[in-house]
Amino acid sequence: WYQRRVREAVVSTQSTAFAVVGSREDVKVGETVVRGREYPWGVVEIENEQHCDFVKLREMLIRTNMEDLREVTHRKHYELYRRGKLKQMGITDDGAHPVSLQETYEQKRAEHLDELQRIENEMRQNFVNKVREKDLELKRNEKELAAKYEGLRKENNEEKKRLDEDRKKLEDDLAAIKKKKEDLERANAEQANGQNTKSKKK
């Protein structure tokens, strides 16, 4: 088995650079359905080693060099990905000192709760300030309305007093006119009686 793997690796290495054709479509060739590409001049089968080197490349990557691929992926690509994610979370990992995800999670959770508490306190304080400002505004409006009402009440009382004085003056004038009329009528009556008496004496 080992010698066969070595021969496959040698053959794959000798075949580089590869001529690879890829396809995700199934093409019917005669009575057989194969994975390939169809052209006006014919069909290229991607798993036919006489048509392209796709099979050799797959064997070299997946079977021959799979362990190397896993090692490189874990040691380089995943490590870069992990450090990038930790950096986004605000965690510095230089590789020399291992990072405890549990401690980091608890720390970030505590910071997040503190931030939420701070925001909640700010919102509560803003609400209290707005309520206080609204209350002061309502009291100020109430005082203004009370002052306007008092001013209107005073004006109404003064107007009523003035109207009462005008009405009393008018009544006095009417009484004086009535008295003058009665005096005039009495004088006319006395004068008429005097003239009648003189006529009778003659």
Side-chain angles (χ1 to χ4, degrees):
W1 178 81
Y2 178 75
Q3 293 179 352
R4 183 174 61 84
R5 294 290 302 275
V6 171
R7 286 197 301 271
E8 290 176 354
V10 171
V11 171
S12 299
T13 305
Q14 292 176 350
S15 298
T16 56
F18 297 108
V20 179
V21 177
S23 175
R24 298 193 305 181
E25 298 179 357
D26 294 330
V27 180
K28 189 173 183 181
V29 180
E31 299 295 331
T32 307
V33 177
V34 297
R35 184 71 57 85
R37 287 180 178 240
E38 187 174 6
Y39 295 97
W41 42 264
V43 176
V44 176
E45 302 176 19
I46 64 173
E47 294 185 351
N48 189 338
E49 295 186 12
Q50 295 181 355
H51 291 185
C52 69
D53 295 328
F54 177 80
V55 175
K56 295 178 181 178
L57 178 63
R58 182 179 63 187
E59 292 291 329
M60 185 184 73
L61 292 177
I62 297 179
R63 297 182 182 177
T64 306
N65 296 324
M66 175 58 73
E67 196 62 34
D68 293 338
L69 180 61
R70 289 178 180 175
E71 181 65 23
V72 171
T73 301
H74 176 74
R75 180 168 42 84
K76 182 177 180 181
H77 302 296
Y78 171 73
E79 189 64 22
L80 290 175
Y81 170 80
R82 187 181 68 85
R83 290 185 183 181
K85 284 297 182 181
L86 291 176
K87 187 176 181 180
Q88 291 179 1
M89 297 170 59
I91 304 171
T92 303
D93 182 16
D94 55 2
H97 304 85
V99 178
S100 174
L101 294 181
Q102 182 65 26
E103 293 178 359
T104 303
Y105 169 77
E106 294 296 336
Q107 179 183 356
K108 291 297 179 181
R109 183 173 181 274
E111 293 177 357
H112 182 65
L113 291 177
D114 292 341
E115 181 68 16
L116 290 179
Q117 186 64 36
R118 184 185 65 79
I119 294 175
E120 182 180 355
N121 293 336
E122 288 182 357
M123 293 177 65
R124 183 181 292 109
Q125 187 62 36
N126 291 335
F127 176 76
V128 171
N129 293 336
K130 288 182 179 180
V131 170
R132 186 181 294 113
E133 291 176 0
K134 195 65 177 180
D135 186 51
L136 293 176
E137 183 180 356
L138 291 176
K139 289 182 178 179
R140 184 169 59 252
N141 293 336
E142 184 178 356
K143 289 182 179 179
E144 292 177 357
L145 290 175
K148 288 182 180 180
Y149 171 77
E150 185 65 22
L152 292 175
R153 189 179 65 81
K154 288 182 179 180
E155 290 179 1
N156 186 41
N157 291 336
E158 292 176 357
E159 185 68 18
K160 183 179 179 181
K161 183 178 180 181
R162 187 179 63 79
L163 290 175
D164 290 340
E165 292 176 354
D166 292 342
R167 181 171 60 82
K168 187 175 181 301
K169 182 179 179 182
L170 183 60
E171 289 176 352
D172 293 341
D173 292 342
L174 289 174
I177 292 172
K178 185 177 181 180
K179 185 178 179 182
K180 287 181 180 181
K181 182 179 179 181
E182 291 176 353
D183 294 341
L184 183 60
E185 289 177 351
R186 189 183 301 111
N188 291 335
E190 290 177 356
Q191 186 178 3
N193 289 334
Q195 291 178 355
N196 291 333
T197 304
K198 291 180 181 181
S199 299
K200 288 179 180 180
K201 287 182 179 181
K202 289 181 180 181

